[in-house]
Amino acid sequence: MTDENRVSAGWLKLASSLSHVARPQATEAGTYVNLPLERGSTVVFPSLDAMQQTGRKRYEHVSIYGAMGSPTQHELEKAIATIEGGTDTQIVCSGLAACTTPLLAFLKAGDHCLLADNVYGPTRRFAENMLKRFGVEISYFPPCADAATITALMRPNTRVVFTESPGSHTFEVQDVAMLAEIAHAHGALLFFDNTWGFGIFAPFKHGVDVSIQALTKYPAGHSDVIAGAVTVADTRLWHTLRDAAIQMGQVAGPDECWLTLRGLRTMGVRLAQQAKSALHIAKWLQTRPEVARVLHPALPECPGHTYWKRDFTGAGSLFGVVLKADYTVQDMQRMIDALKMYGIGASWGGYESLILPTTGGIPRSSESPVQDGPAFRLQIGLESPDDLIADLEQGLQLLTSK
């Protein structure tokens, strides 16, 4: 299988499932293809007994009160759990909430949380501020650390190991199964931010306990939704997570859930094309004299490439670029400002291409693969890859014409 086919294969395998999951069953009277959008806050019942009976079903997908989830949210939760290979999903208001909700649910004062050094910046900020203020100990491990290094960093009070693979700024791919084995041997849970690999990485087959997704990215796919999801495959964990979500009022609006369900239908074909274009552009960038390094998990030079090849069925649309140290951050900024096809924005996973500087974007405790020169990341959308390359070419030329 060629590299181009490999990066898109997993997405195409999803196409049939995405077209049929969480769809209404046809009836004799006829049925619309899509689920109806149901908005509401108060749920009324025919009797007090009926309300009380339903109120005891908070771990099921039933309508109790609007702040505990709508019928549209419940259908999205079933769809996400199916794609992730889990049993239960909690939809929350944002991708960041998907990171923070389980941390609050499973950690308490006196516990220790060990995080990968390349985690999403706001996750790190939450750990350093909120969790520390609540009495949780925080430390970090190098993303490419071996088993001995990870084991040495575990403490008697370590309750959660939190990782993100690949990192959304530096793109190291980690040995998730190894992390799970070490975490479980020390009585800890493994949390995994699976936003980049949603649909092409099966978290629970690799020992993950809690899988996190920013639905804003690939599933919604049109840069008009903020939502997140937390998925588990264990009833005990589900009860803890669900209770915490209810107690914190974590819920997503029905409109956001409906839009995400609609976006899911085309996620497979969208990402198959975007993944193929991203790899094509990444390989072109490797030929450029201005570029020191391209950080794309499907390229052998990317840290942890062997784990990507072993564990992932495809690749995402986001990757990093490190310029040669001859250039300054100001040079890179001039190049970025000159681009016409790429929006300058912090998100990714939508249909449009974006660029974002990553130099110094996330504090690091260990060595980073983007520290040698000015760096940026590219989100490749559905535009023609030839047009995107032509735009990058004219931008890169500005680096040598100062």
Side-chain angles (χ1 to χ4, degrees):
M1 183 183 295
T2 65
D3 290 343
E4 288 77 9
N5 288 335
R6 179 175 172 79
V7 297
S8 60
W11 298 113
L12 293 175
K13 287 180 181 178
L14 281 173
S16 294
S17 175
L18 293 173
S19 293
H20 292 274
V21 69
R23 282 262 304 275
Q25 295 297 312
T27 65
E28 291 295 329
T31 305
Y32 280 119
V33 169
N34 291 311
L35 289 164
L37 170 59
E38 297 186 60
R39 300 186 183 96
S41 56
T42 299
V43 179
V44 295
F45 300 88
S47 68
L48 183 59
D49 181 65
M51 185 178 75
Q52 292 172 339
Q53 291 286 343
T54 302
R56 288 191 279 270
K57 298 178 180 179
R58 65 186 183 276
Y59 303 121
E60 303 174 30
H61 296 285
V62 297
S63 296
I64 299 172
Y65 179 63
M68 296 171 70
S70 66
T72 310
Q73 175 176 320
H74 298 324
E75 292 305 313
L76 177 59
E77 287 170 338
K78 294 173 189 176
I80 299 301
T82 298
I83 296 165
E84 284 278 83
T87 55
D88 296 281
T89 292
Q90 174 69 46
I91 302 297
V92 294
C93 66
S94 68
L96 178 57
C99 296
T100 61
T101 298
L103 287 170
L104 289 172
F106 291 96
L107 289 169
K108 65 182 186 305
D111 288 346
H112 170 240
C113 180
L114 179 63
L115 297 96
D117 201 23
N118 63 347
V119 294
Y120 179 48
T123 302
R124 187 181 190 119
R125 184 174 63 220
F126 177 82
E128 287 293 324
N129 292 279
M130 295 290 286
L131 289 183
K132 280 188 175 181
R133 182 157 62 86
F134 291 157
V136 177
E137 299 172 14
I138 301 297
S139 63
Y140 300 90
F141 67 88
C144 297
D146 59 17
T149 301
I150 302 293
T151 300
L153 292 171
M154 299 295 289
R155 303 175 186 175
N157 60 335
T158 303
R159 295 294 174 262
V160 169
V161 176
F162 190 113
T163 193
E164 176 181 336
S165 178
S168 61
H169 275 209
T170 48
F171 299 95
E172 303 97 331
V173 184
Q174 297 161 41
D175 187 346
V176 176
M178 176 266 286
L179 292 173
E181 183 178 355
I182 294 172
H184 297 160
H186 289 79
L189 299 172
L190 179 64
F191 289 13
F192 182 74
D193 188 333
N194 194 30
T195 300
W196 192 92
F198 177 63
I200 53 173
F201 178 85
F204 303 107
K205 291 183 178 179
H206 294 85
V208 170
D209 297 295
V210 177
S211 185
I212 293 159
Q213 309 85 30
L215 301 180
T216 305
K217 308 298 194 291
Y218 298 152
H222 291 77
S223 302
D224 54 6
V225 168
I226 298 292
V230 188
T231 303
V232 295
D234 178 276
T235 299
R236 178 180 56 86
L237 299 181
W238 168 239
H239 288 183
T240 300
L241 174 66
R242 176 64 173 155
D243 285 342
I246 292 172
Q247 290 157 19
M248 288 186 280
Q250 269 300 347
V251 68
D255 292 79
E256 286 76 11
C257 293
W258 191 89
L259 286 170
T260 303
L261 272 171
R262 186 173 70 171
L264 272 177
R265 308 303 179 193
T266 61
M267 184 180 75
V269 291
R270 280 190 284 109
L271 268 298
Q273 179 59 47
Q274 290 174 246
K276 188 175 293 188
S277 295
L279 183 61
H280 179 64
I281 293 168
K283 288 184 173 182
W284 175 81
L285 283 163
Q286 284 186 311
T287 70
R288 294 295 303 189
E290 305 91 346
V291 173
R293 194 174 190 185
V294 179
L295 299 169
H296 188 302
L299 297 176
E301 297 79 10
C302 189
H305 165 75
T306 54
Y307 302 127
W308 171 82
K309 196 169 184 178
R310 183 190 71 186
D311 298 339
F312 287 73
T313 62
S317 60
L318 188 77
F319 65 94
V321 181
V322 184
L323 297 173
K324 289 185 176 175
D326 302 339
Y327 305 110
T328 66
V329 170
Q330 290 71 31
D331 293 333
M332 178 181 68
Q333 291 172 344
R334 189 172 68 255
M335 180 210 80
I336 290 173
D337 286 344
L339 298 177
K340 309 298 183 185
M341 298 289 294
Y342 296 82
I344 303 172
S347 194
W348 48 277
Y351 65 87
E352 80 287 7
S353 292
L354 300 171
I355 188 168
L356 185 73
T358 52
T359 298
I362 297 178
R364 292 287 293 249
S365 304
S366 59
E367 184 177 349
S368 165
V370 302
Q371 65 188 19
D372 295 333
F376 58 90
R377 74 179 188 191
L378 293 173
Q379 139 70 15
I380 303 303
L382 290 170
E383 303 93 339
S384 161
D386 291 338
D387 291 340
L388 293 172
I389 286 174
D391 194 28
L392 284 172
E393 186 168 25
Q394 67 85 18
L396 288 169
Q397 287 173 352
L398 293 178
L399 292 174
T400 56
S401 61
K402 59 180 178 178

